[in-house]
C-alpha cells in the first residue's frame, strides 16, 4: 500500500479526550481557522461556520448536554454549524429575499460543508502534534444546545470537537475490513455478516475505550444491537429542532408564491 507522511498520520488517528493544561498557541489557532476557511464548499456558498466555545459556563453546559465531564476541561471546544442565516441575510440585503434559502437542498449542502470543515480541521491539528475528538454527543439535547450557542434561525449545530495537547495514550480503535464497505457500480448485499465479521468482533474485544478503561468494549455486532435498538428521545427531535430553526424539511419545498 502506498504511504506518505500525511496518509500515515491519518491512518494513526486516535480520539483524545484528556489534555495537558496548556493553551493552544494562537498561531496554530489561526492556521486551523485558515484550514476551515479553505475547506471545499457546495456551490461556493460557504454554508458552514464554527463557534469557538471559550466561556467556562458554556463549556460546562455542553459537558452536561453530552454527559461527558471532559468537555468542560478541554483547552479548545469548537462546534461546527450548518449556516443558512448569512446567505439568507445577504439575499435580503440585496432586495431579493428567497423562500428557498433554508430548504432541504441547502440544508443538506450546509450539513456537508460543516462535516467537511470539521474533518479538515482534525487532519490539520493532528499535523501540529495536537489531538482531538469529534463530539456527536452535543446533539443529545439539541434544543438546549441551540439556546446555549445563541443560534439564530437558519442555523443548525452539526458536530463538536475538542482538541489540545494530549494527556493520554489511547489505543487505535479497530475498523472492519473495507471489503464490507467498498462496492463497484452499485451497493452489494454481503450478508450473512456475522460469520464473515467474526474476526473483527474478536478484535474489537481487545480494545479498551479510555472512557471506561476498566473493561474491554463489546464486540462490534453486540454494539450494533445495543445502539440501534435503543431510542434516544431527545436526538429524535433533531428534525423538529431543524424545523424550529427555520429549515423547510419537507418534500415539496416552500410555496414560491409565499415570501420568506
Amino acid at each position: 500500500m502506498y504511504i506518505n507522511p500525511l496518509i500515515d498520520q491519518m491512518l494513526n488517528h486516535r480520539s483524545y479526550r484528556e489534555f495537558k493544561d496548556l493553551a493552544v498557541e494562537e498561531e496554530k489557532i489561526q492556521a486551523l481557522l485558515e484550514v476551515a476557511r479553505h475547506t471545499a464548499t457546495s456551490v461556493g456558498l460557504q454554508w458552514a461556520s464554527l463557534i469557538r466555545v471559550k466561556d467556562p459556563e458554556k463549556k460546562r453546559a455542553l459537558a452536561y448536554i453530552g454527559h461527558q465531564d471532559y468537555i468542560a476541561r478541554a483547552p479548545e471546544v469548537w462546534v461546527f454549524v450548518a449556516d443558512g442565516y448569512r446567505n439568507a441575510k445577504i439575499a435580503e440585503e440585496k432586495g431579493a429575499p428567497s423562500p428557498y434559502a433554508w430548504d432541504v437542498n441547502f440544508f443538506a449542502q450546509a450539513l456537508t460543508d460543516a462535516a467537511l470543515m470539521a474533518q479538515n480541521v482534525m487532519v490539520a491539528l493532528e499535523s501540529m502534534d495536537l489531538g482531538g475528538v469529534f463530539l456527536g454527543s452535543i446533539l443529545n439535547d439539541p434544543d438546549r444546545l441551540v439556546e446555549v450557542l445563541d443560534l439564530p434561525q437558519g442555523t443548525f449545530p452539526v458536530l463538536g470537537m475538542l482538541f489540545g495537547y494530549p494527556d493520554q495514550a489511547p489505543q487505535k480503535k479497530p475498523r472492519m475490513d473495507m471489503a464490507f464497505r467498498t462496492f463497484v457500480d452499485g451497493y452489494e448485499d454481503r450478508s450473512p455478516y456475522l460469520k464473515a465479521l467474526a474476526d473483527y468482533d474478536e478484535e474489537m474485544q481487545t480494545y479498551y475505550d479510555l472512557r471506561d478503561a476498566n473493561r474491554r468494549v463489546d464486540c462490534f455486532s453486540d454494539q450494533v444491537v445495543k445502539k440501534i435498538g435503543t431510542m434516544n428521545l431527545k436526538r429524535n427531535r433533531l428534525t423538529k429542532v431543524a424545523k424550529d430553526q427555520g429549515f423547510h424539511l419537507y418534500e415539496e419545498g416552500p410555496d414560491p408564491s409565499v415570501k420568506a
Side-chain angles (χ1 to χ4, degrees):
M1 181 175 70
Y2 177 80
I3 293 287
N4 63 25
L6 177 58
I7 292 173
D8 185 62
Q9 171 197 309
M10 296 175 75
L11 293 179
N12 283 286
H13 167 76
R14 287 158 170 76
S15 294
Y16 295 94
R17 297 176 174 84
E18 296 292 347
F19 305 94
K20 295 177 181 177
D21 188 18
L22 294 172
V24 178
E25 298 88 339
E26 187 60 26
E27 65 177 358
K28 291 186 175 182
I29 295 296
Q30 291 306 313
L32 293 173
L33 291 175
E34 281 298 290
V35 167
R37 182 165 79 99
H38 288 279
T39 297
T41 173
S42 183
V43 297
L45 291 186
Q46 301 167 74
W47 295 104
S49 296
L50 66 85
I51 295 174
R52 186 181 175 192
V53 183
K54 300 178 72 173
D55 184 320
E57 287 298 321
K58 288 182 180 283
K59 283 187 177 182
R60 283 192 283 271
L62 267 60
Y64 182 80
I65 290 169
H67 311 301
Q68 294 164 324
D69 292 342
Y70 51 79
I71 294 175
R73 299 191 293 271
E76 292 292 330
V77 180
W78 290 15
V79 177
F80 296 85
V81 177
D83 186 356
Y85 177 85
R86 181 190 314 105
N87 287 338
K89 289 301 246 184
I90 290 170
E92 183 181 310
E93 290 173 18
K94 294 281 285 186
S98 172
Y100 311 115
W102 300 342
D103 70 9
V104 69
N105 171 41
F106 293 130
F107 182 63
Q109 291 181 20
L111 289 175
T112 302
D113 274 17
L116 289 173
M117 182 187 284
Q119 180 62 33
N120 270 12
V121 169
M122 179 65 77
V123 172
L125 72 86
E126 289 179 338
S127 76
M128 302 176 180
D129 297 321
L130 299 167
V133 63
F134 291 117
L135 294 174
S137 62
I138 61 169
L139 295 177
N140 283 351
D141 190 344
D143 297 274
R144 175 62 179 144
L145 183 62
V146 165
E147 180 182 356
V148 169
L149 298 181
D150 303 312
L151 295 179
Q153 293 273 290
T155 64
F156 188 78
V158 177
L159 193 62
M161 178 189 291
L162 307 180
F163 66 91
Y165 287 97
D167 195 27
Q168 60 180 179
Q171 290 178 268
K172 185 165 69 172
K173 193 171 187 177
R175 305 292 190 192
M176 75 172 67
D177 194 291
M178 283 302 292
F180 298 102
R181 301 170 63 188
T182 306
F183 313 108
V184 177
D185 294 332
Y187 194 91
E188 298 176 35
D189 183 352
R190 301 281 171 82
S191 59
Y193 291 103
L194 289 183
K195 183 176 180 180
L197 287 170
D199 289 343
Y200 179 57
D201 264 348
E202 184 175 350
E203 184 183 12
M204 276 297 296
Q205 290 186 288
T206 70
Y207 170 73
Y208 282 97
D209 188 327
L210 290 182
R211 285 170 291 184
D212 188 1
N214 294 319
R215 74 172 187 87
R216 298 183 189 275
V217 300
D218 296 330
C219 69
F220 177 74
S221 58
D222 284 347
Q223 290 183 48
V224 169
V225 171
K226 181 179 179 181
K227 290 176 181 178
I228 73 170
T230 303
M231 177 184 290
N232 184 315
L233 293 176
K234 287 187 175 179
R235 277 181 175 262
N236 274 7
R237 287 182 48 78
L238 290 174
T239 302
K240 172 66 167 57
V241 174
K243 288 181 178 179
D244 290 345
Q245 286 297 100
F247 291 100
H248 307 295
L249 303 185
Y250 39 86
E251 185 175 353
E252 298 300 324
D255 185 340
S257 67
V258 177
K259 291 192 177 293

